[in-house]
Amino acid sequence: GFVPAGNRSPPSLPSLPIIGSLMSLVSDSPPHIFFQDLQKKYGDLYSLMMGSHKLLIVNNHHHAKEILIKKGKIFAGRPRTVTTDLLTRDGKDIAFADYSSTWKFHRKMVHGALCMFGEGSVSIEKIICREASSMCEVLTESQNSAVDLGPELTRAVTNVVCALCFNSSYKRGDAEFESMLQYSQGIVDTVAKDSLVDIFPWLQIFPNKDLRILRQCISIRDKLLQKKYEEHKVTYSDNVQRDLLDALLRAKRSSENNNSSTRDVGLTEDHVLMTVGDIFGAGVETTTTVLKWSIAYLVHNPQVQRKIQEELDSKIGKERHPQLSDRGNLPYLEATIREVLRIRPVSPLLIPHVALQDSSVGEYTVQKGTRVVINLWSLHHDEKEWKNPELFDPGRFLNEEGDGLCCPSGSYLPFGAGVRVCLGEALAKMELFLFLAWILQRFTLEMPTGQPLPDLQGKFGVVLQPKKFKVVAKVRADWEKSPLMQHC
Ligand code: HEM
Ligand code: PLO
């Protein structure tokens, strides 16, 4: 007879009562690799218990798209966890906020503010190029010595998002910037890692090193956000909108004037602070991480670097700087960026989703409240979809003629998809393109002699970061002859 879809539960890992299938006790691998390995035994869709929470692990792009796109609204929830509740004052941000009218409103606001910036008087392109130029000058000074590019890349990226959020920027060695570097790393290292406290919230009452670090870092971040907020309140004017914080302040004021369209969406001071905190944090940590991965792969693959430089030399030359309108003419650079985002996804498990009602995935039923983890790592390393997935090969994103881009597989979602898709995708792509084009037009990146190549494994956390490494940025031959040198 007829069997309706979704009558069976997905295969499930055996679990002990109370501790659930606590993976850190059974595996040395980071979760995305562990979940990928479990496919061999349980198939590409399976469930497991984490404490009292049921987790559905998705390792295949058909299921991932059903969840994110086709049933996007049903799976648009977010779980509450101890660490993200601390970071976002119980989900008063966007990324870790559950599905609600408040979340929708904030998403729309930020989206609007980001779009406005593209067209604004000081366009985002000008800001990125200003930072790229300043970064290149610092790199020129450090000629031929081995440097960790991390701090300079972070400062460049931070200043872009600072301009966007706060209409401000940081000079080299700025004390506030140095403190931001520290607290943000502390947060990345400790938040949303499915650590024991997130599974057993009652563990909070015991001393816990990670939780102490997280609380300290959040408190430093909150002081910084509060300071920016107070400064903006003093200088705020209804007539000019300088940045995202102004846009949020305006919305908050208009809701206080009893504007019915915004009355119920919750625009407390906490919401404003946590929302800019999200954009600032996401804006800094994601793009910086991709730039670091790009450089790691470029020093591992000098032939790729040479090919990008040949493309830059022939399409742009050395008489002018790269600009956004060059994007269509530099397919190999664009393909390299795509390949970096594939091979080392910033967010290998996305952010967990939650089923807001009973539903199904493929032929399996899924109960309301199930936490859904999309294993982007599995999608991006699926051997059925990608030839030799661990090989770094930008060429896979080029068409047969090699002069245009293509997407060889649908198993590729670096920014997620659907209602929870990344809000910063367009901004991130502009930054990655411009920063890499500026750096490679002027420098060749090499390993310091005698140094081992950078580690490509990465440290798992809320973002998958590479370990620290040093490179030498050599000014390219005949660059001194370039008329662009006169501007420095
Ligand atoms: C969410 C990737 C840069 C803001 C996400 C998600 C991914 C992602 C995978 C989760 C989607 C999901 O849970 O289904 C990336 C990558 C970036 C990047 C690969 C850089 C290359 C940025 C930037 C911003 C940003 C620059 C800010 C301007 C956000 C926000 C969310 C998000 C606010 C939460 C959306 C929501 O939950 O509604 N991003 N992101 N991201 N991203 Fe990005
Ligand atoms: C990064 C550290 C910051 O201090 C706080 C912060 C805010 C938003 C987070 C971001 C961190 C990490 C990357 C996240 C982002 C929201 C969306 C983004 C999780 C924790 C991604 C890639 O999903």
Side-chain angles (χ1 to χ4, degrees):
F2 175 66
V3 182
N7 246 340
R8 292 189 289 147
S9 295
S12 142
L13 267 69
S15 67
L16 301 167
I18 310 177
I19 71 155
S21 337
L22 190 57
M23 49 185 203
S24 50
L25 296 180
V26 294
S27 169
D28 297 326
S29 315
H32 54 282
I33 310 271
F34 180 56
F35 289 152
Q36 184 191 30
D37 289 345
L38 284 174
Q39 281 181 88
K40 287 180 211 123
K41 199 157 171 200
Y42 297 96
D44 49 26
L45 188 75
Y46 54 84
S47 72
L48 60 92
M49 295 298 290
M50 276 279 212
S52 57
H53 305 294
K54 189 170 205 153
L55 248 69
L56 181 68
I57 315 291
V58 180
N59 295 285
N60 148 323
H61 73 103
H62 300 290
H63 290 144
K65 285 174 185 159
E66 182 180 349
I67 290 161
L68 297 174
I69 301 168
K70 190 168 160 216
K71 296 177 179 160
K73 270 196 175 163
I74 297 175
F75 289 100
R78 294 282 197 217
R80 295 191 53 176
T81 69
V82 173
T83 54
T84 57
D85 272 1
L86 282 172
L87 180 69
T88 65
R89 302 189 182 167
D90 303 328
K92 293 193 181 65
D93 68 329
I94 298 175
F96 302 107
D98 206 354
Y99 188 78
S100 68
S101 52
T102 309
W103 165 79
K104 265 193 236 170
F105 179 79
H106 282 255
R107 236 192 108 97
K108 272 215 184 106
M109 283 269 331
V110 171
H111 187 74
L114 289 176
C115 289
M116 191 208 75
F117 232 91
E119 302 150 10
S121 56
V122 196
S123 77
I124 204 78
E125 175 173 15
K126 282 207 192 101
I127 293 167
I128 301 171
C129 290
R130 181 188 75 198
E131 293 308 322
S133 165
S134 141
M135 174 173 61
C136 286
E137 270 162 52
V138 175
L139 295 190
T140 308
E141 285 166 28
S142 73
Q143 261 282 21
N144 297 332
S145 54
V147 278
D148 172 12
L149 297 184
E152 264 317 298
L153 293 172
T154 313
R155 196 171 63 90
V157 172
T158 303
N159 279 345
V160 174
V161 73
C162 251
L164 222 132
C165 290
F166 309 126
N167 186 31
S168 66
S169 68
Y170 291 118
K171 297 233 159 57
R172 277 189 93 187
D174 186 309
E176 190 177 285
F177 173 70
E178 301 293 330
S179 110
M180 195 280 292
L181 275 184
Q182 279 207 349
Y183 82 65
S184 202
Q185 190 58 50
I187 294 176
V188 169
D189 289 340
T190 53
V191 82
K193 290 210 320 190
D194 269 319
S195 55
L196 282 168
V197 279
D198 283 332
I199 300 160
F200 310 119
W202 43 265
L203 280 176
Q204 281 176 93
I205 56 176
F206 298 115
N208 176 322
K209 187 163 150 265
D210 272 10
L211 209 56
R212 200 184 65 233
I213 296 173
L214 180 63
R215 286 209 171 93
Q216 252 168 23
C217 291
I218 290 175
S219 128
I220 302 170
R221 180 198 72 153
D222 286 353
K223 285 199 192 90
L224 186 147
L225 292 177
Q226 192 75 40
K227 184 177 145 218
K228 301 281 184 203
Y229 185 73
E230 301 299 337
E231 285 169 2
H232 268 65
K233 268 203 304 207
V234 177
T235 50
Y236 176 83
S237 150
D238 274 327
N239 310 318
V240 279
Q241 186 172 305
R242 296 162 294 180
D243 47 42
L244 177 65
L245 193 44
D246 271 358
L248 289 163
L249 272 172
R250 168 182 300 178
K252 183 168 178 296
R253 291 193 181 208
S254 115
S255 77
E256 281 156 1
N257 297 336
N258 234 356
N259 182 326
S260 61
S261 70
T262 51
R263 200 170 36 211
D264 306 321
V265 292
L267 271 165
T268 62
E269 186 175 306
D270 275 0
H271 282 101
V272 172
L273 289 172
M274 294 302 110
T275 295
V276 282
D278 241 24
I279 302 307
F280 188 58
V284 172
E285 293 300 337
T286 54
T287 311
T288 309
T289 298
V290 185
L291 288 173
K292 289 180 190 165
W293 278 125
S294 307
I295 291 170
Y297 276 97
L298 289 176
V299 294
H300 269 268
N301 299 274
Q303 78 288 0
V304 171
Q305 191 173 179
R306 262 193 309 275
K307 244 178 127 165
I308 298 174
Q309 287 174 332
E310 280 162 20
E311 191 179 64
L312 286 165
D313 293 349
S314 78
K315 303 285 172 50
I316 295 178
K318 293 189 171 122
E319 316 266 296
R320 67 174 183 86
H321 293 298
Q323 54 200 44
L324 272 185
S325 59
D326 294 314
R327 248 172 98 176
N329 292 323
L330 299 166
Y332 195 74
L333 174 56
E334 205 62 31
T336 305
I337 295 170
R338 286 191 188 184
E339 178 68 346
V340 172
L341 289 168
R342 180 193 69 83
I343 202 161
R344 288 298 176 270
V346 172
S347 186
L349 301 176
L350 307 187
I351 302 174
H353 289 240
V354 169
L356 298 169
Q357 58 187 71
D358 286 344
S359 183
S360 66
V361 177
E363 53 185 335
Y364 300 113
T365 55
V366 176
Q367 283 165 320
K368 176 177 172 177
T370 304
R371 299 180 175 196
V372 180
V373 172
I374 309 280
N375 192 353
L376 195 59
W377 183 272
S378 291
L379 267 63
H380 286 186
H381 291 84
D382 187 340
E383 290 187 348
K384 292 191 282 313
E385 300 285 335
W386 305 95
K387 211 193 289 170
N388 218 343
E390 249 316 299
L391 182 75
F392 181 75
D393 174 19
R396 59 172 104 235
F397 285 99
L398 291 177
N399 63 13
E400 272 178 37
E401 294 74 42
D403 57 3
L405 289 158
C406 74
C407 211
S409 164
S411 195
Y412 182 68
L413 298 172
F415 295 92
V419 286
R420 285 280 184 172
V421 69
C422 176
L423 261 176
E425 178 170 352
L427 171 66
K429 284 178 170 163
M430 289 187 231
E431 291 187 80
L432 294 173
F433 171 77
L434 285 171
F435 283 133
L436 288 173
W438 276 68
I439 294 173
L440 294 173
Q441 184 191 35
R442 195 184 300 190
F443 305 98
T444 299
L445 304 168
E446 288 170 13
M447 283 319 282
T449 36
Q451 286 288 311
L453 287 163
D455 179 274
L456 295 176
Q457 272 225 303
K459 299 177 286 175
F460 176 81
V462 69
V463 290
L464 179 66
Q465 292 176 323
K467 297 202 182 106
K468 272 203 183 95
F469 60 91
K470 290 187 175 175
V471 295
V472 179
K474 283 212 176 112
V475 174
R476 295 179 62 205
D478 67 6
W479 177 259
E480 286 78 6
K481 286 183 241 142
S482 161
L484 293 179
M485 278 299 281
Q486 267 82 71
H487 298 300
C488 305

